[in-house]
Amino acid sequence: MRAFVVKMPSGSRYWTVLDEQMDVVPVADRFLRELRFGRDRAESTTKTYAGAVVLYLRWCSRTDRDWTTAASEIGLFMTWLKFTPVNAESGGVLSGPGTTLVRGERRINRVLVAVRGFLSFAVAANEAPAWILAQLYELADTRDLPIEAQGEDARLSYRMRARHRLHEPDSPVDRASDKEIVTLFRECRSARDRLIVLLLARAGLRRGAVAGLRRSDMHLSVDNSLLGCLIEEPHVHVVRRENSNGAWAKSRHSYAVPVDFLLVQAYDQYIAERQECPAAASSDFLLVNLFRPPVGAPMTPDAIGELIERLAIRGGLRRRITPHMLRHGFGSTLADTGATLDEIQHLMGHKHHSSSQPYLHPDPARLRAAVSRVASPRLLAADGVQ
């Protein structure tokens, strides 16, 4: 079993599942096509889901289980995920005390989300028995939800709740520190690379959104009315569209992110640099290859990830830095400087406010400063406070 990318005649791509004979698994392929084109999900999402379906089908194959009914033993699948490497030949789990987990709780929960979606689709397509749904979900009501999630009318309603889920330990947002971001910026050898770092760290864009930016999305004037835009001051529009380089803006709704003078200046320097490359003139993509073939072609999201990794190594940073860590740094800095939840939600392009909640955890230095502001008992006594 393996995941495999499929390119459609239109240029759009999605990921499917191949069996041991390198044949497409029909029901998995239908599910992933529905996910990509029917539900308007990103190509990267189908890649993640295809990988999860591969793990489930591989477990069924190696343990002689029928995939259409194996959901009744999903707990054993979870154990298999914990201890079985991808390249393991056997289907059994042999481990003892102190065995290192192959996959963590968060990864296993993401696999289960994809598997539940796949099996639910199979039931709807009459490829699996309907009783499987009762093995995957249980009926729950709104009374077990937080007050904030129950709505203003507070009426009792029912919903499907997943039966199987591991507890994920709370962990702080893995952000790139200001020092690390400055190091990356200093290691840039071109105006284009500096602009990329700022779009990630000062505008909080995902790497897919950065790679998908067009020149027409950059509204960097004080008055943008000549561009048909009523938003004043410099800003960047994040628009979800099909892109030939595989870039994809996660948010279904377009939104604008205000930018500061540093990003405007970096943009001007990059445009001057780009104009020296004749092959880039015909591309409407903002970021194009200037120093390696194919020159003038739009940069891919993977190329942006590789760039950040190279900058971190070049700067001597002791840990691996990813583009998303720069985005996390932007969101955390917003929270540390007093931004409200709705402001963070909009600037980060989140659909639900719950996605912005992790950024509200204060920086430890700010907590220490808060304690330091509390007067000591001796000072209160000296002032005559009873």
Side-chain angles (χ1 to χ4, degrees):
M1 296 286 178
R2 59 169 295 188
F4 188 81
V5 64
V6 178
K7 186 173 182 178
M8 305 292 286
S10 63
S12 300
R13 309 197 314 173
Y14 75 100
W15 288 72
T16 190
V17 175
L18 303 181
D19 60 18
E20 287 79 358
Q21 287 72 42
M22 302 299 288
D23 293 326
V24 172
V25 179
V27 63
D29 184 71
R30 289 161 55 194
F31 166 63
L32 293 165
R33 278 191 287 119
E34 169 71 17
L35 192 70
R36 176 71 173 92
F37 304 111
R39 305 182 195 178
D40 195 27
R41 304 295 289 273
E43 175 196 332
S44 58
T45 300
T46 66
K47 181 179 181 180
T48 301
Y49 273 53
V53 173
V54 164
L55 289 172
Y56 174 71
L57 296 178
R58 185 178 295 162
W59 170 70
C60 293
S61 174
R62 293 181 179 177
T63 57
D64 296 324
R65 286 180 168 87
D66 181 356
W67 71 264
T68 63
T69 59
S72 60
E73 299 177 299
I74 205 74
L76 296 178
F77 174 55
M78 296 166 67
T79 303
W80 184 86
L81 287 173
K82 286 183 181 180
F83 299 106
T84 307
V86 173
N87 57 357
E89 295 297 332
S90 63
V93 175
L94 299 176
S95 61
T99 301
T100 302
L101 297 183
V102 175
R103 300 174 184 86
E105 294 85 353
R106 187 182 302 275
R107 169 62 176 150
I108 292 175
N109 284 337
R110 289 179 178 177
V111 170
L112 294 177
V113 169
V115 170
R116 283 193 293 265
F118 167 62
L119 292 175
S120 299
F121 177 86
V123 170
N126 295 321
E127 297 282 353
W131 59 264
I132 286 299
L133 291 179
Q135 303 296 318
L136 299 174
Y137 300 97
E138 62 182 353
L139 194 62
D141 58 55
T142 53
R143 289 176 295 185
D144 65 339
L145 293 175
I147 296 297
E148 296 82 1
Q150 293 186 16
E152 296 181 357
D153 52 8
R155 292 182 299 177
L156 179 65
S157 60
Y158 293 93
R159 60 191 175 88
M160 301 293 285
R161 181 172 62 188
R163 287 186 178 274
H164 306 90
R165 179 178 175 82
L166 294 176
H167 172 69
E168 298 180 15
D170 293 332
S171 57
V173 173
D174 191 9
R175 59 179 288 184
S177 67
D178 293 342
K179 183 177 180 180
E180 290 170 332
I181 293 172
V182 170
T183 298
L184 297 178
F185 189 81
R186 287 177 174 172
E187 292 299 325
C188 292
R189 296 176 179 174
S190 69
R192 184 202 63 183
D193 294 351
R194 290 193 291 270
L195 177 62
I196 291 174
V197 171
L198 291 177
L199 285 170
L200 295 168
R202 301 286 293 185
L205 302 188
R206 299 178 178 90
R207 67 171 188 169
V210 171
L213 285 174
R214 308 296 177 92
R215 287 185 287 179
S216 57
D217 296 330
M218 309 298 289
H219 293 185
L220 304 183
S221 301
V222 175
D223 182 4
N224 297 289
S225 59
L226 293 177
L227 300 174
C229 179
L230 299 180
I231 302 176
E232 297 181 352
E233 306 293 338
H235 61 276
V236 175
H237 286 273
V238 179
V239 182
R240 191 178 199 180
R241 55 169 73 93
E242 291 285 346
N243 293 303
S244 59
N245 60 347
W248 188 260
K250 187 174 181 180
S251 175
R252 286 186 171 89
H253 304 286
S254 302
Y255 64 99
V257 180
V259 297
D260 59 14
F261 74 97
L262 289 175
L263 200 146
V264 174
Q265 186 179 52
Y267 174 81
D268 291 339
Q269 294 173 352
Y270 165 62
I271 291 300
E273 180 181 76
R274 174 181 165 137
Q275 289 175 345
E276 298 178 1
C277 177
S282 61
S283 177
D284 186 44
F285 280 89
L286 174 64
L287 301 170
V288 297
N289 294 332
L290 298 178
F291 315 107
R292 64 174 64 177
V295 176
M299 291 186 67
T300 65
D302 288 343
I304 292 177
E306 293 169 1
L307 168 65
I308 300 301
E309 187 172 350
R310 287 199 308 272
L311 294 177
I313 295 174
R314 196 184 301 160
L317 299 180
R318 296 183 178 180
R319 62 172 183 156
R320 179 173 178 264
I321 303 296
T322 66
H324 217 65
M325 293 169 64
L326 274 67
R327 170 177 162 83
H328 285 326
F330 174 74
S332 299
T333 301
L334 288 174
D336 290 340
T337 52
T340 61
L341 182 60
D342 62 323
E343 291 170 343
I344 297 174
Q345 180 181 353
H346 177 84
L347 292 172
M348 299 293 287
H350 289 150
K351 180 179 180 181
H352 303 289
H353 65 79
S354 59
S355 300
S356 307
Q357 287 283 357
Y359 297 104
L360 295 183
H361 294 294
D363 181 83
R366 192 154 61 93
L367 293 177
R368 171 61 59 184
V371 173
S372 301
R373 290 195 296 269
V374 179
S376 69
R378 290 183 179 180
L379 292 176
L380 295 175
D383 292 339
V385 177
Q386 301 296 325

